[in-house]
Amino acid sequence: MISGCPPGLECLAVIDQLMVHQKVEILEAMGGGETNNRYAILNALGQTVLFAVEESSWFGRNCCGENRGFEVRVYDNFQREVLHFSRESCTDSIEVSAPPGNLIGSVENNAGSWFTPKFRVKNENNEKILRIEGQITFGKTKKFDVLPIEGEAIGIIAKKSSGFARELFTDADNFAVAFPMDMDVRLKALLIAATLLIDMMHFES
């Protein structure tokens, strides 16, 4: 067992990058309305290490859109829930528990504009530990730098193109997330939550 690592997140201790791959929903692609998001979280070899499933109401998804409240359950390859993300409707923050019920921190919007969004990552004591600053440009990769409270970037969250047809008919997204290998596993988990919040707030349509 790795010291300080929540049960089920040992897989995050030995990696320095992830791909967050949103699954395409057939009903959504056929114009059947917004469905619950599902994400495969892959390592650098393309192997699924975690799987995230959104739980929200039909009304929230189709009437509140990116402002909806939701719960996200994150499972390991043994189908154990190892992470839980929670967001209330019309708020710009997400709480993270690992294991479920044990708060490890939160991610919240910190003003900025649509083109230069800013987020703050906090620990379980509500202390700021990381900042995330974005650069969104039409037609290019959307990049979010991960920085300490003071200092230069130590990681990145980048939205990758999902292909023209896929983006035309769905809002499914792909993100690459990079961070130091020796970063605390709980911070890596918080960056996964930040990626999903960024997706919800800036790329749901």
Side-chain angles (χ1 to χ4, degrees):
M1 185 173 180
I2 301 172
S3 177
C5 178
L9 296 184
E10 293 83 1
C11 60
L12 299 182
V14 294
I15 58 177
D16 60 1
Q17 56 184 298
L18 290 168
M19 176 69 76
V20 179
H21 174 70
Q22 187 176 350
K23 295 292 188 177
V24 175
E25 301 294 343
I26 300 301
L27 181 63
E28 188 172 319
M30 295 175 63
E34 182 75 16
T35 59
N36 277 318
N37 289 334
R38 298 184 302 130
Y39 303 85
I41 300 169
L42 317 174
N43 62 19
L45 299 176
Q47 300 165 328
T48 299
V49 294
L50 297 169
F51 194 84
V53 180
E54 175 193 357
E55 294 181 358
S56 60
S57 68
W58 182 95
F59 178 85
R61 292 191 306 275
N62 292 281
C63 299
C64 300
E66 69 273 14
N67 295 312
R68 68 184 179 272
F70 58 79
E71 306 291 325
V72 173
R73 301 183 187 276
V74 183
Y75 300 93
D76 65 9
N77 286 328
F78 298 99
Q79 300 300 309
R80 300 175 301 186
E81 186 181 357
V82 294
L83 275 170
H84 191 96
F85 307 151
S86 180
R87 179 195 186 194
E88 295 185 4
S89 295
C90 300
T91 62
D92 292 341
S93 64
I94 186 170
E95 290 190 341
V96 182
S97 299
N102 179 54
L103 182 70
I104 63 169
S106 62
V107 182
E108 63 181 35
N109 184 36
N110 192 55
S113 69
W114 194 92
F115 292 101
T116 57
K118 297 180 180 179
F119 295 85
R120 291 292 179 268
V121 179
K122 297 182 176 180
N123 64 17
E124 69 275 20
N125 298 317
N126 205 37
E127 298 167 333
K128 298 175 184 177
I129 48 177
L130 292 174
R131 53 197 172 99
I132 300 173
E133 299 184 355
Q135 300 173 22
I136 300 177
T137 305
F138 290 113
K140 297 183 180 179
T141 298
K142 290 75 174 177
K143 184 170 73 78
F144 297 79
D145 289 324
V146 178
L147 308 101
I149 296 304
E150 299 290 341
E152 300 299 319
I154 58 172
I156 190 172
I157 299 170
K159 182 181 183 297
K160 302 295 186 179
S161 173
S162 301
F164 176 75
R166 176 169 166 163
E167 292 189 339
L168 179 63
F169 293 107
T170 76
D171 56 10
D173 296 310
N174 288 324
F175 292 86
V177 187
F179 37 71
M181 180 79 75
D182 61 355
M183 176 180 276
D184 188 301
V185 166
R186 290 166 292 187
L187 287 183
K188 295 179 182 181
L190 285 163
L191 290 182
I192 295 174
T195 302
L196 269 59
L197 183 61
I198 288 169
D199 182 36
M200 294 280 191
M201 290 185 62
H202 292 279
F203 301 110
E204 289 278 303
S205 58

